[in-house]
Structures are given as C-alpha cells and as structure tokens.
Amino acid sequence: MRVMAQIAMVMNLDKCIGCHTCSVTCKQAWTNRGGVEYVWFNNVETRPGQGYPRRYEDQETWKGGWELNKRGRLRLKAGGRLSKLAHIFSNPQLPAIGDYYEPWTYEYANLLDAPLGDDVPVARPRSLLSGKPMKIEWSANWDDDLGGVNEHGALDPMVAKVREQAAEKVRFEFEQTFMFYLPRICEHCLNPSCVASCPSGAMYKRQEDGIVLVDQDQCRGWRMCVTGCPYKKVYFNHRTGKAEKCTLCYPRLEVGLPTVCSETCVGRLRYLGVMLYDADKVLEAASAPEDTDLYEAQLGVFLDPEDPVVRREAERAGIAQDWIAAARRSPVHALISRHRVALPLHPEYRTMPMVWYIPPLSPVVEALTETGFDGEDTGNLFGAIDTLRIPLEYLAELFTAGDTAPVRASLEKLAAMRGAMRPGLLAGGTSGPAPVDEDIARSVGMSGEEMYALYRLLALAKYEERYVIPTAAVGDARRLEESVLPDECSLDYAGGPGMIGSGPYGEGSGAAPPVSVENFHVLRDRQSADAPADPGRSRVNLLNWDGRGHPAGLFPRRTDGTGTTDRTDGMKGTGAAPRPPRNAHDADDEEQR
Amino acid sequence: MSIADSLLWTAMPYVTIVLLVGGIVWRYRYDKFGWTTRSSQLYESRLLRIASPLFHYGILFVLAGHLVGLFVPDSWTSALGVSETAYHYLSLTTGTLAGLATVAGIALLIYRRRTNGPVFLATTRNDKLMYVVLLAAILTGMTAKLTHAGGHGYDYRGTIAPWLRSVFTLTPDYARMHGVPTAYRIHIVIGFLLIALVPYTRLIHMFSAPVQYLFRPYIVYRSRERGQLGTRSERPGWERVP
Ligand code: HEM
Ligand code: SF4
Ligand code: SF4
C-alpha cells in the first residue's frame, strides 16, 4: 500500500441554478489575460447540450484519454510515444478555435466617438484574433438553457448514445424535454492522460495534494496535452504559446481557502476535501476490463481514513497529521465512499477523475406533485425514478459509462433522505437534530445516523463542513506563503493570530500582515459570522462593510468622555439617526449556509 | 584572397558559434518562458497539417545531409565502398527531393502566414526576419546545388568541408575556400546568419526536440518545493505589452 493524498471536489447537481457565477469569478481570477480570452477553466454546460468545446465527449473524433489495447493494457487513445513524436509537427486531433469559439470584443469607442447624427451609433463585434468585424455564431455556452436544442440537441454525443438504446427517452419537444446544469473544471485525475501526453514532461501531478499543473517554464508548446485530456480542460494560450489549465486555485488551497469557484458558488453546492488513495492500485483500476467496472474500480482505490492501518501507512508515507485528520472529516470522502451518492464524470475515459457529481433528482418531485401524487412520499419517489424526466440512461452515460444501477442507487438515497427527514423537520419544535425515519433509511441500506449525516452535509452544508482543507505546511504554518513574513512575526502574541487590527503596542504596531493572510481571516469571518459586519474590529475594512450599522472604529472616539468606547451603538448621543433594526432573517440565512 | 576573405572565412564562423551558444545559454537562463514553438495550429489547421510536416521532415533530412556531407570526410565514405559518382548521385536525388519538400512546405507556410488573418496578426517582426533568412538560406542552397549539378557536380567535400572541419579543430584554414563558386559562398554566409539567429527567434524550439519523452514514465510526479508556497514573485515576460 502506498498512500497518497489528493484534494478532490464533489458537486451536488440538484442545487446548480446555472448562474455561471463560478465561471465568471474563475475567469476574473485566472484567465482575464490576452491569449486566453476563449478559455474557461470552469464552465457550466446545459445538458443535454454539446458542451465546451463542442462535442468534446466524442472521443472517436478527439481521441482523448486512455483505451485498452488488445492485450488489455492501457494506452493513450491518440497514440503512444512514437506516434506522438511523428505527429508533433501538426497535431491531427487538435480542436480548432472554432470548436471553442472565436473570442471577440465590441467597438465600444464607436459609441463615444460617433459624430452627432440621426443614426444611433452601434458597437459592432470584432474578432480578437483577426481584428476584423465578425458575426458571432457560437460561444462557450451558446446552447445555455437548451437554446437551439431542437436543432442542435442531437449533436450531444450522450444523446446519441442513449438514443441508440431507447430513442423515445430523449425528446426535445418543449413539454417533454429535460435539462440540468453540469459545471466542469479540470478533474485533477489520478491517471492524467494530459500529463502522459506531454512530450516535454512539463505537466505534472503534485505529490502532496494531487493537483495537476503545467510548468510554464518547461512547456514548449507541443500542444499534445490538449488532445490528451478527454475533458478538454487543458487550453493553449495562443499568445504565449504555452498550455494552461485549472490549477484548483492552489495558492488558495495552500493557505486553507477553497477554490474561487467553490467560494463564490451561489448554490453552495461544491465540496472540497482530502481523499486518501492507494497509488499502487491506480494503474490496475484504470485498466479494468469493462467500462462499467471503472466506477467500482476507482472506489476500490480510495482508502478509508477510519482504518488504523491506513492511517499508519499514511503516516509512514509522510502525510502530515492534519491531512490525515482532514481526510477523516472530508465531506468529499463521505459523499463518494461512505454514502456513495457522488459519481465520477465519464469514468470510461480511464483517467480516474477526481471531481465527482451527485446526480440531479429535483424535477421528479415537481412532476409527481403535478400528477396528483405526494411528490415527497418516498414510495412514490422510488417508483418514479425509472420514469424520471431526466432519463436514468442519460445520467448513466455521463457518470457510470452507461450502467444505470449506481445512478439509481444514488438517486434512491437522495429520495429516501427527503422521505426520512421530512416528517421530523415538519413536526418541528424539537431542539437538537431532527429525528430521522429509520425505516426509510434502512430501505436504502443506511442507518438513521448516516442519513442524518447525509442530510446535514447536503441540506445544511455549513461553510466549514463543505470545505475541509488542510494547509500546505503544518510545521511551517506561521511562515505560510508569503516569504516576507518573518519567522517570528507579530501574529503570535497573546490573543493572536493578530491580524485583527493592531499589534502588541497599539494600533499600527508590528509588521503589516500579508494581504493574503488578512483576506483569509476577513473572508472566513464574513462567511461564518452571525453579523453582517464584524463589530469586534477596531479597524474597519470598508470593502467588507455592507452599509448597515456603524461598526466601531468607523468614526474616531470622542475624547470628552461622553462618547462611548463600546461597539455597535457607538453613535449613541451624537444625534445621528438610530441604527436600522437588524434584519430579522439574518439568523435564518445563517442556518441555511 | 583578400583580408575580407580571411575575415569572412575565419572570423564569421567563430562569431556565429559564440552567438549561437551564448544565445542558447541566455535563453535558457533568462527566457525559459519564451522558449516555445508558438504553435499557430489553434488558428488554422487545414493547411498546417500538410505544410508543417512537409517542411519539417524536409528540413530535418536536409540538416542530416549537411552534417553527413560536411563532417564525414570522403575518405570514410570511400572506405565504406561508396564511389564518388554514387555518392554524388545519392546526395543529388535525395537532397533535391528533401529540398523540394522543404521549399514546398515553407512556401505553403508563408502563404498561410500571409493570408490567414489570425496567423498574420500573430506574426511578429522577429518571425518575418526569421522567415526571410530561412527562405534565403534554403533558396540559395538549392540554387547552388542545382546550378552545379552537371557531371560529378561541385565537389564541396574537397573544399568547403575541410575548411569547416578546420574551423572546428581550431586551425582555421581559409585558403581552402579558394575557388569556391559564388553561389556556394552566398549560401554559406546566409547559412551562418541563420545559425546565429536561431537562439533569438522561434527557431530555438529545435533545441528542445522532446526525445526524452521516449524514455520517461508516462505520469510525472513532482514535489512542491519548500519555500515555494502560495503566490510567487512576478517574472518578466508574462504579458506582451501591445
Ligand atoms: C528538431 C525537431 C523539430 C520539432 C519537433 C519541431 C516542431 C515544430 C512545431 C510543433 C511547430 C509548430 C507548428 C504549429 O503548430 O504551428 C514548429 C514550427 C516551426 N518550425 Fe519546427 N520543429 C523542429 C525543427 C525545426 C527546424 C530544424 C526548423 C528550421 C530550421 C524549424 C522551423 C520551423 C518554423 C519556421 C516553424 C513555424 C511554422 C509556422 O509558420 O507556423 N523547425 N516546429
Ligand atoms: S481532466 Fe485535468 S487532470 Fe484529467 S486529463 Fe484533463 S487536464 Fe489532465
Ligand atoms: S456558481 Fe454554483 S450554482 Fe452558479 S452555475 Fe456555478 S456551480 Fe451552478
């Protein structure tokens, strides 16, 4: 057993509202530069739909990922080492810019510079590649919300596959169609075919946390990784001539912050945590003979951090204690291995992806209720899963290489969770955890306790429970990240970590806390505090002040003794308008985080 | 032989070697980030798919031909039993075929660069200079070879090759260049210019031909280095200033 640790993600598709906030914030953080205008490390596709780049799932065309050769051994689908080098002068399976979309801007200056006249000036689109006026005909999510689905729907490779077996299952007529959103980032695979495809050896998987990265200094622009990744999550920067990809926001993870897409997700549907796995088993699992075996095979690679043997081996492999502790609390491990509700995306590509998905169930409740049944009744729900508006077969093509059993099992657990928790929650009044209907829990092979844990993880999903991220360097914690931070810094006096305002000798004393550390604490406070602006501060961060209330320190203290030194009611007696009442719903909002 | 001659055939090779080696070292130490093919396949694939392999296979063959012709003395080939006529015939046919592929390839590459909007926009001045010199080197080479193809052809293995070898043994003997036809002289000068330019243009990519790919394991693991956590200091060269 060779234990390795990996930061993995799970997304709960039921909660995705398709707002694209994750994509936009990711773009602002990472790809708002020239040369990567067309690049979305995070994108949200409407399914059914072609995805981004178009039809990337059609591996007969794009040849991404691995396949088994005749002797049952893994090989790159696009060809091995010799074939890669022979085709290096022009890569036969490289998507063209049109398969993503041609990036453009608008002639905004026209709007301001146009001479006075009868015609309203217009800002025409101009290509960012050729500089010429262009007609916009496609983009990263052109078929958002099923736009044009009656024309393009059949181009979804998964639709084509489902229709081979059951043509009637996928319909695009308005009343009969279905849709859900699929947010995608790089999978940070255990067996990354992008890394294997890179002739320079510039791509690598980080030993400590499994993040797959491109060494920008070593990349020589052979652009084989783009073909190698079946998810098409390595992109070519056409200005620098280097490959770029999702970094899982490693500078944030290293200091314990969730990725930008997770942090800003409106549905709060992303979970981050540690998975322990046995590196010795990866190759064997990825070579499972049948595509449909791959889901189970990958589960078999993961290790249970509750097992003392695993923990001992992990320690021996040099995995830090707080990582092992984090693995035990990992929401991702719970959703993938313990509750088995999360499924991998396209395991048949044999890259062992590490961003997993809880399949969507919601529409079935609505549909049942409309037909006069009790949509929340577990019995009804179980029966309805086979006739879901979103066909099981379609989900199975995405998540389990076509095998519907694991998808059904996952959906049944989700349905059972509703049934088991609802009576207790509706009855209300009890303090402490809501009671669970044990019978329903047992019907899907779970104990009441497990059911409650699943409910808590999926429904309440507190910030600290969604993101359990050990920092990069335990022994090093105080010197984390910024090298300007001195070994013995001003943060560790009594009452520290003292980024909160002032140092031991009063306001402004001590070295300035590094900005990332300060942001870390501000953000964490904001995400988990009960009040909109933390009143405990003596210094006000105006960027974090929401305009409500008067945080102490906003105005200087009065020196004549009548002023107050306390916090929120600091304006008492100054004749200012009274503080607006606190929003009564604040507390409830907090509970739903 | 004039002073100019001696300068040309003695100083030029050494200056070129210094520029080449110095340039590569400099690129490696200070501009690893800029060391790339700057592939334009994302913009245009159809023409490139024909042009680029045609050109590359051609020029690599031509390159190999130069190395054999210039660095393998004719006494060695005769010892192997290859007669002068056979050698000339072989080098003329294969060399011309490879040369034609190279010319056809580069013509198509340049046509593509000029006519495809995005590719043209991504062409720097440096690229244009590189293409001018590269094309000139290829064309003058072809001209020299083909205009002296009659009979046994021009036997550069008795003049140019020994001169070049004398440069590498640090006993430059420019007298060897005496009587070399002008067409060849022009080709040699342009060739040296091209070699000197290599490290300073995108042609640098030829020195990172990824042969090590054949020998390394597929999956590369790297450890996070100590003292390399979090944000890094900025380096020059990320964003091109328009
Ligand atoms: C040694 C092995 C070599 C390899 C593996 C190699 C590979 C490549 C690759 C991958 C490209 C990018 C093509 C694209 O996608 O746009 C390229 C471009 C180019 N290479 Fe090479 N090359 C090699 C040697 C050479 C040599 C010896 C020369 C000339 C002396 C050369 C001249 C060029 C030129 C001029 C381009 C630009 C083509 C364009 O107009 O886009 N290469 N090479
Ligand atoms: S999903 Fe990420 S890690 Fe996996 S092959 Fe693609 S780029 Fe590589
Ligand atoms: S931010 Fe969250 S809810 Fe919005 S599209 Fe992204 S994943 Fe879905």
Side-chain angles (χ1 to χ4, degrees):
Chain A
M1 187 191 298
R2 191 157 57 93
V3 185
M4 288 185 80
Q6 160 109 25
I7 304 257
M9 187 186 280
V10 167
M11 303 192 213
N12 182 0
L13 293 185
D14 255 340
K15 290 188 178 183
C16 182
I17 58 171
C19 62
H20 301 275
T21 306
C22 46
S23 308
V24 171
T25 49
C26 171
K27 192 155 192 34
Q28 288 296 358
W30 296 111
T31 57
N32 58 352
R33 293 166 282 127
V36 281
E37 308 90 346
Y38 75 100
V39 171
W40 297 83
F41 289 165
N42 182 107
N43 75 296
V44 184
E45 338 181 311
T46 304
R47 304 311 299 256
Q50 297 184 58
Y52 156 82
R54 269 184 265 193
R55 292 175 56 75
Y56 69 93
E57 287 158 306
D58 176 9
Q59 301 309 341
E60 291 324 301
T61 306
W62 300 120
K63 307 265 188 237
W66 305 86
E67 63 183 8
L68 293 182
N69 65 12
K70 286 197 202 78
R71 284 174 296 138
R73 296 189 43 188
L74 274 188
R75 67 158 195 200
L76 288 171
K77 203 174 169 83
R81 303 169 204 259
L82 278 174
S83 141
K84 280 251 151 52
L85 290 192
H87 291 119
I88 202 166
F89 306 118
S90 108
N91 176 352
Q93 282 98 22
L94 190 78
I97 191 76
D99 293 309
Y100 302 89
Y101 67 98
E102 187 168 346
W104 70 85
T105 183
Y106 294 96
E107 294 173 336
Y108 295 107
N110 247 9
L111 302 181
L112 301 172
D113 300 346
L116 202 58
D118 291 337
D119 301 321
V120 180
V122 291
R124 285 186 309 166
R126 250 179 205 277
S127 164
L128 282 171
L129 298 185
S130 66
K132 304 229 163 57
M134 67 175 269
K135 195 161 171 256
I136 301 168
E137 281 169 332
W138 198 260
S139 82
N141 55 341
W142 203 246
D143 49 2
D144 203 20
D145 292 345
L146 294 186
V149 75
N150 44 354
E151 266 182 50
H152 303 301
L155 289 174
D156 176 341
M158 298 302 117
V159 166
K161 276 200 183 163
V162 174
R163 280 186 168 165
E164 275 168 23
Q165 302 142 23
E168 73 290 348
K169 287 271 189 175
V170 186
R171 294 182 195 280
F172 294 129
E173 287 83 32
F174 182 66
E175 288 89 356
Q176 290 161 318
T177 193
F178 63 93
M179 71 170 218
F180 60 97
Y181 300 104
L182 182 70
R184 293 200 305 125
I185 63 171
C186 162
E187 300 276 347
H188 298 278
C189 308
L190 296 185
N191 184 33
S193 50
C194 57
V195 173
S197 304
C198 171
S200 317
M203 293 191 72
Y204 60 97
K205 192 166 176 65
R206 282 216 307 201
Q207 244 156 25
E208 292 86 351
D209 48 20
I211 299 178
V212 175
L213 294 171
V214 186
D215 182 337
Q216 291 290 309
D217 273 349
Q218 225 174 312
C219 172
R220 298 281 170 262
W222 306 120
R223 42 142 169 62
M224 289 297 173
C225 51
V226 181
T227 301
C229 172
Y231 303 92
K232 289 292 167 278
K233 279 294 172 189
V234 192
Y235 302 88
F236 196 77
N237 181 323
H238 59 88
R239 290 252 302 255
T240 62
K242 306 246 161 169
E244 292 187 22
K245 66 180 287 299
C246 158
T247 63
L248 207 64
C249 294
Y250 72 86
R252 290 172 60 90
L253 288 183
E254 283 173 0
V255 295
L257 288 170
T259 65
V260 169
C261 55
S262 306
E263 175 80 57
T264 59
C265 173
V266 171
R268 295 174 182 174
L269 56 89
R270 296 184 186 225
Y271 298 80
L272 282 164
V274 175
M275 293 296 283
L276 297 182
Y277 68 98
D278 185 352
D280 286 337
K281 281 200 196 156
V282 172
L283 189 64
E284 188 196 331
S287 320
E290 291 299 323
D291 285 353
T292 42
D293 299 340
L294 282 158
Y295 165 59
E296 284 292 336
Q298 190 166 358
L299 283 179
V301 171
F302 299 143
L303 298 170
D304 180 2
E306 295 305 326
D307 181 348
V309 180
V310 169
R311 287 213 297 274
R312 203 165 345 108
E313 286 295 322
E315 222 170 308
R316 261 230 311 253
I319 295 174
Q321 276 302 331
D322 68 330
W323 278 67
I324 300 174
R328 299 177 75 174
R329 292 189 297 125
S330 166
V332 171
H333 173 73
L335 294 169
I336 291 177
S337 293
R338 206 174 309 141
H339 305 306
R340 297 208 173 193
V341 288
L343 302 168
L345 181 65
H346 290 304
E348 71 272 22
Y349 299 158
R350 296 177 183 273
T351 60
M352 305 264 118
M354 289 302 281
V355 174
W356 287 38
Y357 295 87
I358 302 174
L361 175 74
S362 281
V364 75
V365 181
E366 289 295 302
L368 273 178
T369 313
E370 273 166 27
T371 51
F373 289 98
D374 179 354
E376 297 282 4
D377 182 273
T378 317
N380 289 345
L381 272 173
F382 279 4
I385 283 175
D386 281 308
T387 54
L388 272 182
R389 187 78 170 257
I390 304 174
L392 267 188
E393 288 80 359
Y394 187 86
L395 294 174
E397 288 298 343
L398 284 181
F399 300 122
T400 47
D403 180 7
T404 49
V407 183
R408 182 186 289 112
S410 168
L411 292 179
E412 279 179 358
K413 280 184 189 154
L414 297 179
M417 185 185 80
R418 289 165 178 274
M421 296 305 302
R422 198 163 74 121
L425 287 173
L426 284 187
T430 51
S431 57
V436 185
D437 185 328
E438 302 263 350
D439 287 340
I440 299 183
R442 264 194 301 279
S443 73
V444 288
M446 295 170 81
S447 72
E449 218 171 296
E450 284 172 329
M451 191 54 96
Y452 184 78
L454 181 62
Y455 156 77
R456 197 175 159 82
L457 208 47
L458 293 184
L460 301 184
K462 295 277 200 181
Y463 191 82
E464 287 86 358
E465 289 167 45
R466 273 181 287 142
Y467 312 128
V468 180
I469 305 165
T471 48
V474 191
D476 245 18
R478 274 175 293 147
R479 279 192 290 122
L480 258 191
E481 197 196 357
E482 257 138 323
S483 48
V484 297
L485 198 60
D487 270 352
E488 283 304 315
C489 70
S490 64
L491 310 181
D492 41 357
Y493 59 88
M499 301 87 204
I500 310 180
S502 48
Y505 308 115
E507 173 79 49
S509 77
V515 72
S516 58
V517 176
E518 189 167 58
N519 281 349
F520 171 64
H521 283 270
V522 167
L523 259 170
R524 196 171 59 182
D525 287 350
R526 190 170 59 193
Q527 292 285 3
S528 52
D530 289 333
D534 179 9
R537 306 246 160 142
S538 59
R539 205 164 65 184
V540 178
N541 183 341
L542 283 176
L543 292 176
N544 284 295
W545 183 46
D546 63 358
R548 287 191 280 171
H550 298 291
L554 186 59
F555 298 102
R557 286 182 193 179
R558 290 165 56 119
T559 46
D560 59 3
T562 60
T564 51
T565 55
D566 66 355
R567 303 160 168 193
T568 42
D569 47 352
M571 302 309 288
K572 201 188 324 172
T574 58
R579 213 167 81 86
R582 246 188 86 191
N583 186 336
H585 295 297
D586 279 356
D588 299 349
D589 286 349
E590 285 308 310
E591 181 54 23
Q592 254 114 63
R593 268 183 206 280
Chain B
M1 293 295 261
S2 63
I3 298 210
D5 265 333
S6 74
L7 266 185
L8 203 56
W9 309 123
T10 315
M12 179 183 71
Y14 291 113
V15 172
T16 305
I17 291 170
V18 167
L19 283 173
L20 176 74
V21 176
I24 294 173
V25 172
W26 169 75
R27 249 346 240 277
Y28 187 78
R29 293 195 51 176
Y30 299 108
D31 186 34
K32 273 192 211 142
F33 183 66
W35 190 318
T36 153
T37 63
R38 288 226 327 282
S39 164
S40 55
Q41 195 178 353
L42 198 64
Y43 303 135
E44 200 279 345
S45 199
R46 210 172 44 86
L47 284 177
L48 188 85
R49 203 168 293 172
I50 306 162
S52 181
L54 198 62
F55 166 75
H56 276 97
Y57 281 121
I59 194 111
L60 287 179
F61 193 93
V62 168
L63 215 64
H66 275 68
L67 291 181
V68 172
L70 293 171
F71 291 101
V72 178
D74 36 8
S75 52
W76 296 18
T77 44
S78 329
L80 282 175
V82 184
S83 75
E84 183 62 24
T85 333
Y87 182 88
H88 169 66
Y89 191 68
L90 203 73
S91 86
L92 185 67
T93 46
T94 56
T96 310
L97 278 181
L100 284 179
T102 313
V103 171
I106 201 172
L108 205 53
L109 279 177
I110 294 177
Y111 170 78
R112 168 177 174 273
R113 275 221 166 251
R114 186 63 198 86
T115 53
N116 188 289
V119 184
F120 187 54
L121 211 66
T123 307
T124 61
R125 261 201 241 134
N126 185 304
D127 287 342
K128 289 176 192 164
L129 173 70
M130 180 275 295
Y131 261 119
V132 168
V133 179
L134 180 60
L135 189 66
I138 294 170
L139 291 183
T140 52
M142 288 288 278
T143 317
K145 182 93 184 165
L146 295 179
T147 50
H148 296 82
H152 276 272
Y154 178 68
D155 184 16
Y156 61 86
R157 299 214 295 170
T159 53
I160 303 174
W163 161 72
L164 193 66
R165 289 200 294 271
S166 77
V167 167
F168 279 98
T169 53
L170 299 182
T171 50
D173 181 8
Y174 67 88
R176 297 272 193 174
M177 288 299 289
H178 190 72
V180 171
T182 320
Y184 276 96
R185 290 171 175 238
I186 296 176
H187 174 62
I188 293 170
V189 172
I190 295 183
F192 273 100
L193 181 61
L194 181 66
I195 294 170
L197 275 180
V198 164
Y200 310 97
T201 62
R202 71 176 337 161
L203 292 181
I204 186 76
H205 73 266
M206 72 175 75
F207 287 108
S208 52
V211 274
Q212 76 278 11
Y213 183 48
L214 295 174
F215 310 107
R216 69 147 224 254
Y218 263 143
I219 308 295
V220 180
Y221 288 94
R222 277 200 216 173
S223 197
R224 200 170 42 202
E225 284 158 46
R226 246 184 97 86
Q228 230 205 22
L229 296 178
T231 11
R232 265 153 234 204
S233 56
E234 257 183 60
R235 291 163 312 169
W238 183 275
E239 183 85 308
R240 190 172 67 185
V241 180

